[in-house]
Structures are given as structure tokens and as C-alpha cells.
Amino acid sequence: MSRLLEPLTLRGTTFAHRIWVSPMCQYSCDPVAAPGVPGDWHLVHYGSLAVGGAALVLTEAAAVLPEGRISPHDAGLWDEDQERAWARVVTFVHSRGAAAGVQLAHAGRKAATHRPWHPVQGSVPPEEGGWPTVAPSAIAHGDLAVPTALDADGIARVVAAFADAARRADRAGFDVVELHAAHGYLLHQFLSPLSNARTDGYGGGFAGRSRLLLEVLDAVRAVWPDGKPVFVRISTSDWAGGGWDVDESVELARRLAEHGADLVDASSGGNVPQQRIPVGPGYQVPNAGRLKREAGVPVGAVGLILDPLQAEQVLVSGDADAVLLARPLLADPRWPQRAAVALHDTGAVAWPAQYVRATREDVPLAAPR
């Protein structure tokens, strides 16, 4: 058996193998008729990834508060309508033998923006459905609207909202929650000195800047079942001078594990427009490897992992415990099944009975791109 196709157990949850779906925003909720409520698009999208053989289907960022959405079209998990809609998705994902996870998020100063394919980019005006944004400090992200710095009550409300969303996630049947502390969203904004200029207990040095994330993790872990894992996605580097870096990420990973996190999902960037990212195949894997080796925590690697042999090498080299795929799965939802063919381990990834005829020897199954 290849390393990529071995099971992995975290707390009381066993994942059939180590090919997981990375959270990918769909921007496909109806902001007027059903704000934040996942619909048919989400059922088919996530269902197709489960049918394709992914062991864990992590959904897109679900905002814990209405003002925490990246766009008005984002999904959420702050009310019962959203909880019921997500339960429908979870039920189907489970029916295919996959685990289901949800990423809990607050966009902070990067909230209330247009969808990526909107002809105009930037902040959505209030008259078009936008809203005032919040952040650790009144520092805008590029040309986006200037946010309001959160006060003590605002911070407490954010912590409580993450815990409430975790309760809803459990009732909806999710097996995993992931806290989104990457890509320049609120929890990352607190971590980075480029976006956090506070002088109170939530700013200054590493301890102050990491305080909110640890408080959120503690609040979530307190309400999340002990047998279910909690992941935390972090940006291991701002890729900008004077910003958050991999050394701080190693120390943060240690602290996260002490506070009950079961896996660190190692991404990078997104916090400042002036970032300079050396993009290339597997470009974030070295930072993931540092977290795994130096912090001694389970780690997920993500970022231009395109080929099954490449993914296998990430795990064999000891840089990560699982790989999370995004765009490769959009291009080919059957990537896990094709990877099993490429790695000569076809029994490790389930095929639906309706599709088994495609596994006959006379049907070519090329390795995925």
C-alpha cells in the first residue's frame, strides 16, 4: 500500500486514506432569499467530490457571523436554516463513505467584497448589500474599505460565534471542524504584525497576537466532541518583510497542539497586497515539513500538489501526514480514484457501484493531471 492511500486516525476519527478536499469558496448562496444557506449547487459539488473517492470532504469557509462573510454570496453556519442545509450535504457525503468537515471562518477586513467573477472588484457598497467590516486594527487591505478595530465586546462576540458554529456543525453531523486562521482573514489578521497594530492584550508580541486564535480554539474544543478532531489552517508566511513567518508558525503549531488542535493545515499568504509568493509545484510543502519536524504535530500539505506520485513523495519524505487538493479536484473530481490506479492500489479508494464498469481492464484510466 502506498503512503498516500493508507488510513489515518486522528482522535476517534479514521480517514480511509490521505487524499482530502481542501476548502474552496463557491460564492453560490442566494444573499437575498437564503443568506448563507448552501443549496443544490453545494450538494452536487461536494457530493461529486465524495463520489470521486476523497476520504475527507472539507467544505468552503462557512462564516460564523453574517458580517464575517467574504462576499454576500458566501455560506454560513450562524443559524438553523444553514445547519439544516449543511446536514443534507453531510448525509450524502457520509453515504459515499467519506468523512465531512467544515471550515469555520470570519473574513474580518476582507469581508463584504464582490465575488471573484463579478465585473467590478473590491468592497461591496452598502446599497448593493455590503456592510461595515471589522479587524484587529483600522488598517485596510489594499483598496478595500477601512475596517473598524474590534473592541473587547466585539472580540468576545467573535469567540462565542465560533463556538456556536461548532455546536451547529456537530448537530449537522460534521466529523471535523477546521478553524480558518490563514489567507488574511480575521484570525490571521490578528496573528500578523502587518495587520495588527494593537497595544492591548491582543497585540504586540507573539503571545498577544496569537491570543485570539487560541481563545477561539479553546472555545471550540470545549463544545466539540472529544472524539472528533479539530484542524487549524494557518498561513505559514505572509511572504512580506516584517510579517508573519515560518518561525512563528512553528511556535504557533506547538501552542495549537497544546490547546487541543489535532492537525495544522499549512497554507500561506493572503494577508497583504505586497506579498511575493514563489509559486510552483509544492511550493508550500517545505514550510509544512518544518512544522511537522520542529513542532511535532500532524500536518496537512496544500498548494499545487498536482500528481499522485508528487503527493506520495510529500508523505514519504515526512513533510506531511495528508495532502489537501483544491484546483486538481475541480478539474477532475475522480482524482483519488485515478491516483489509486496510478499507484497500483485500486482497492484503497471506493468506486460507486454505478461506476464500477469504468474499472474494467478494457477501459483506459489515465493517471490524473
Side-chain angles (χ1 to χ4, degrees):
M1 179 180 288
S2 73
R3 182 73 169 160
L4 185 65
L5 299 174
E6 287 181 351
L8 176 65
T9 299
L10 297 171
R11 288 191 183 251
T13 301
T14 297
F15 305 95
H17 53 78
R18 300 167 189 237
I19 306 171
W20 297 351
V21 177
S22 183
M24 293 176 279
C25 289
Q26 296 298 293
Y27 308 104
S28 296
C29 297
D30 187 325
V32 177
V37 178
D40 289 346
W41 174 267
H42 300 84
L43 176 65
V44 174
H45 169 64
Y46 294 115
S48 70
L49 296 171
V51 167
L56 169 62
V57 177
L58 268 172
T59 72
E60 64 206 85
V64 299
L65 290 166
E67 63 269 28
R69 289 171 292 167
I70 303 167
S71 82
H73 295 83
D74 277 26
L77 196 45
W78 70 78
D79 70 23
E80 292 180 0
D81 289 342
Q82 296 155 1
E83 179 185 323
R84 285 191 292 269
W86 279 123
R88 177 182 178 226
V89 174
V90 171
T91 296
F92 184 83
V93 169
H94 282 165
S95 77
R96 298 310 321 147
V102 60
Q103 186 183 66
L104 303 180
H106 190 303
R109 67 179 186 170
K110 293 177 72 175
T113 60
H114 289 290
R115 294 190 283 186
W117 57 85
H118 193 274
V120 176
Q121 291 299 290
S123 297
V124 178
E127 61 271 18
E128 296 180 22
W131 56 87
T133 59
V134 297
S137 304
I139 303 171
H141 182 278
D143 295 330
L144 298 183
V146 177
T148 299
L150 282 165
D151 60 15
D153 289 342
I155 289 175
R157 182 168 180 262
V158 167
V159 174
F162 271 95
D164 288 344
R167 290 188 186 94
R168 296 187 187 284
D170 182 41
R171 292 197 296 262
F174 282 106
D175 307 291
V176 175
V177 290
E178 175 172 275
L179 307 182
H180 198 353
H183 303 167
Y185 300 122
L186 185 66
L187 298 179
H188 183 188
Q189 291 162 26
F190 270 85
L191 291 173
S192 174
L194 297 180
S195 46
N196 184 346
R198 301 177 73 98
T199 57
D200 63 1
Y202 291 92
F206 173 87
R209 288 183 280 112
S210 60
R211 178 180 171 184
L212 177 59
L213 173 55
L214 295 178
E215 288 183 353
V216 166
L217 175 56
D218 287 343
V220 168
R221 190 74 267 180
V223 302
W224 188 245
D226 189 60
K228 294 183 179 183
V230 174
F231 298 173
V232 181
R233 171 165 278 194
I234 67 171
S235 280
T236 56
S237 174
D238 280 340
W239 300 113
W244 182 261
D245 61 26
V246 69
D247 291 330
E248 289 183 301
S249 292
V250 169
E251 180 57 29
L252 178 64
R254 294 190 186 104
R255 304 283 183 93
L256 293 172
E258 292 169 359
H259 285 253
D262 300 287
L263 179 137
V264 178
D265 181 357
S267 190
S268 70
N271 193 42
V272 290
Q274 68 269 26
Q275 64 186 10
R276 294 291 181 269
I277 304 177
V279 176
Y283 68 102
Q284 296 176 148
V285 170
N287 285 1
R290 280 199 57 187
L291 267 58
K292 182 167 175 58
R293 294 184 181 91
E294 297 179 29
V297 300
V299 171
V302 62
L304 290 186
I305 298 171
L306 306 173
D307 178 84
L309 297 179
Q310 176 198 11
E312 174 77 1
Q313 185 56 36
V314 170
L315 303 188
V316 170
S317 67
D319 284 323
D321 299 275
V323 297
L324 294 100
L325 305 181
R327 282 171 285 184
L329 286 174
L330 294 182
D332 182 5
R334 305 286 180 265
W335 199 101
Q337 290 156 346
R338 294 182 181 277
V341 172
L343 296 170
H344 308 291
D345 198 357
T346 54
V349 179
W351 280 77
Q354 298 91 330
Y355 292 177
V356 167
R357 72 191 74 177
T359 65
R360 297 196 317 257
E361 291 184 1
D362 61 326
V363 178
L365 285 172
R369 295 185 298 276

